Amino acid sequence: MKTYLVGGAVRDRLLGLPSGDRDYVVVGESQDAMLARGFKPVGRDFPVFLHPQTGEEYALARTERKSGRGYRGFVVDADPAVTLEEDLQRRDFTINAIAEDADGNLVDPYGGAHDIERRVLRHVGPAFSEDPLRVLRAARFMARFAPLGFSIAPETQVLMREMVATGELADLVPERVWQELVRALASPAPAAFLRTLHACGALAVVLPEVDALYGVPQRAEYHPEVDTGVHIELVCDMAARLAPGDDLIGFAALTHDLGKALTPPDVLPRHVGHESAGVAPLRALCERLKVPAAHRQLAEIACREHLNVHRLFELRDRTVHELLARCDGFRQPARIAQLVLVCEADKRGRAGLSDCEYPQGPELLRLHAAALAVRGADVAREGLEGPALGEALARARIAAIATARARTAQ
């Protein structure tokens, strides 16, 4: 049985990165032969098997022929006559179209190793344009590899713009868009994902609420980068720096300023009330992409409350308590720490301010801890229940916040 290691494992080894899952392609075999060897079938749309001992994935070499619109519109041929080169030709980028035999020899018919050396993301061939999901994959790979110096080949950029112009990206199902977005937000440079999609016009299709922020001016004394779209890029990269791999923080960072796209032109570059204005487009985005509840909830809290956190030192004790309560910080304490990370990313995600301090963060965490230490049992009295107990608990927590602040002042 001729087997070759393919895809990401080979690419990452050549890049000097730790490799994840190891995937193999099998040449010259049939599905019946694989079953006879004890492999377990798992592929729904094409023949993929799990090795009976290692559990690693082995796929039969195959070709794909376009049969309809969208990323599902393909007819798969996994005949034993399909060659390794034909299988590699159907792949998206040259850096992913490299195989390695059992002796460690590379099979690289499309120059992927050379493109790795040059740090270029290039499509394998014209079949790239048949799958609209590949536009998002290009952007997601840039979110991962831009810090290594990668750029997209000019001819691939042209092809991506042409794919957007055909309207095929409209056929992408929300779950696949969300999957690529989440992986990009958990990458080291999510801003590269946004820039790539914006440059080819795809961002306006898959994330129109975010795309609308580009070109919207902000006050330069607070935002030296001025352009709101650029600010979002900086915030997303800062979120990735503060909370590596955390797509929950990343999504809230991405969507915290959506209301700025709705600011009337005659009041620009000021954005009074953009926090509340951003809730509606955020909810629309979440509904369209079927965003999980945890991501929705934190994103809405960050959208609504980020300016209140920035103004923490101006807030009264009672107002701080109300902020914590609105965020459900007493029932879900982790929410406050998450909100702090998003707000710090917002503050430091500005041109020239990436290394600035954010004292509001540790202060809010300290006040939250003081209030959280007060329990219902601490204020319960005989006959006190319902709203009366809730009011007593709130008063005690506000007092705890005041005491914590007084200690700081001393």
Side-chain angles (χ1 to χ4, degrees):
M1 187 170 71
K2 293 182 180 179
T3 64
Y4 299 85
L5 183 66
V6 293
V10 180
R11 176 200 66 219
D12 290 348
R13 182 180 66 77
L14 294 176
L15 282 168
L17 300 174
S19 59
D21 295 336
R22 294 166 60 87
D23 297 325
Y24 295 85
V25 65
V26 180
V27 178
E29 296 288 348
S30 66
Q31 297 188 51
D32 289 342
M34 296 295 286
L35 295 175
R37 292 174 181 268
F39 284 80
K40 301 175 183 178
V42 294
R44 184 182 64 178
D45 299 322
F46 45 82
V48 178
F49 303 83
L50 296 183
H51 191 283
Q53 278 79 47
T54 68
E56 293 176 320
E57 285 194 0
Y58 285 68
L60 295 183
R62 66 185 189 271
T63 60
E64 296 172 348
R65 177 173 53 83
K66 187 72 169 173
S67 61
R69 287 177 63 87
Y71 71 96
R72 288 178 172 169
F74 292 91
V75 173
V76 174
D77 179 12
D79 189 274
V82 175
T83 67
L84 176 62
E85 288 73 15
E86 289 173 325
D87 180 272
L88 295 175
Q89 188 178 37
R90 68 173 175 77
R91 297 174 185 267
D92 48 11
F93 303 105
T94 60
I95 66 172
N96 295 330
I98 310 171
E100 182 180 301
D101 67 18
D103 296 322
N105 301 307
L106 295 183
V107 181
D108 183 20
Y110 306 105
H114 182 57
D115 282 341
I116 285 177
E117 292 176 0
R118 297 178 61 205
R119 298 299 195 254
V120 173
L121 191 66
R122 186 193 318 277
H123 65 285
V124 173
F128 179 91
S129 63
E130 296 176 349
D131 185 354
L133 187 64
R134 288 176 169 177
V135 174
L136 271 66
R137 282 174 57 81
R140 194 246 299 167
F141 275 120
M142 285 302 297
R144 182 181 178 191
F145 294 133
L148 300 180
F150 270 81
S151 63
I152 298 180
E155 62 269 31
T156 302
Q157 294 179 21
V158 170
L159 186 56
M160 289 166 62
R161 287 193 290 269
E162 292 174 351
M163 292 170 67
V164 173
T166 65
E168 276 221 5
L169 267 69
D171 294 325
L172 291 173
V173 298
E175 291 83 359
R176 296 308 297 269
V177 175
W178 174 248
Q179 183 181 45
E180 294 297 323
L181 174 59
V182 165
R183 295 178 73 178
L185 292 173
S187 298
F193 176 84
L194 299 176
R195 279 195 300 272
T196 300
L197 293 183
H198 180 64
C200 71
L203 194 64
V205 179
V206 296
L207 290 171
E209 298 86 356
V210 176
D211 188 73
L213 297 172
Y214 283 88
V216 176
Q218 304 164 108
R219 294 173 65 180
E221 62 268 37
Y222 299 116
H223 289 276
E225 71 284 353
V226 180
D227 189 302
T228 307
V230 175
H231 170 56
I232 294 302
E233 292 179 2
L234 294 171
V235 174
C236 286
D237 274 1
M238 182 55 66
R241 175 176 159 186
L242 296 174
D246 194 330
D247 54 82
L248 190 66
I249 302 299
F251 181 69
L254 172 70
T255 57
H256 80 282
D257 263 352
L258 295 184
K260 289 183 176 178
L262 304 177
T263 300
D266 60 319
V267 301
L268 292 173
R270 300 174 69 244
H271 292 279
V272 178
H274 74 274
E275 320 92 276
S276 57
V279 173
L282 171 60
R283 288 176 176 173
L285 185 158
C286 290
E287 188 66 26
R288 187 178 68 254
L289 295 186
K290 306 184 189 308
V291 174
H295 290 73
R296 293 184 187 215
Q297 291 162 4
L298 180 62
E300 188 164 328
I301 287 170
C303 178
R304 190 182 64 235
E305 305 292 353
H306 64 278
L307 284 193
N308 287 326
V309 178
H310 293 338
R311 299 168 181 151
L312 178 66
F313 295 109
E314 304 169 20
L315 303 183
R316 295 178 300 173
D317 301 331
R318 178 176 293 277
T319 308
V320 172
H321 177 269
E322 291 171 351
L323 167 64
L324 296 172
R326 283 197 304 274
C327 298
D328 205 13
F330 298 113
R331 292 193 307 167
Q332 302 189 56
R335 281 264 183 88
I336 305 304
Q338 293 169 334
L339 175 63
V340 163
L341 283 172
V342 178
C343 292
E344 183 175 354
D346 176 33
K347 181 64 175 181
R348 297 172 61 186
R350 309 180 190 202
L353 299 178
S354 62
D355 294 323
C356 73
E357 294 184 355
Y358 190 65
Q360 295 92 328
E363 177 69 1
L364 182 58
L365 292 176
R366 197 174 65 84
L367 299 181
H368 178 227
L372 198 62
V374 179
R375 305 292 181 179
D378 300 332
V379 299
R381 298 191 300 271
E382 186 176 350
L384 196 63
E385 58 184 22
L389 178 60
E391 291 171 6
L393 181 59
R395 286 194 299 270
R397 284 173 169 167
I398 293 168
I401 291 170
T403 300
R405 280 181 149 175
R407 288 172 181 165
T408 302
Q410 294 173 357

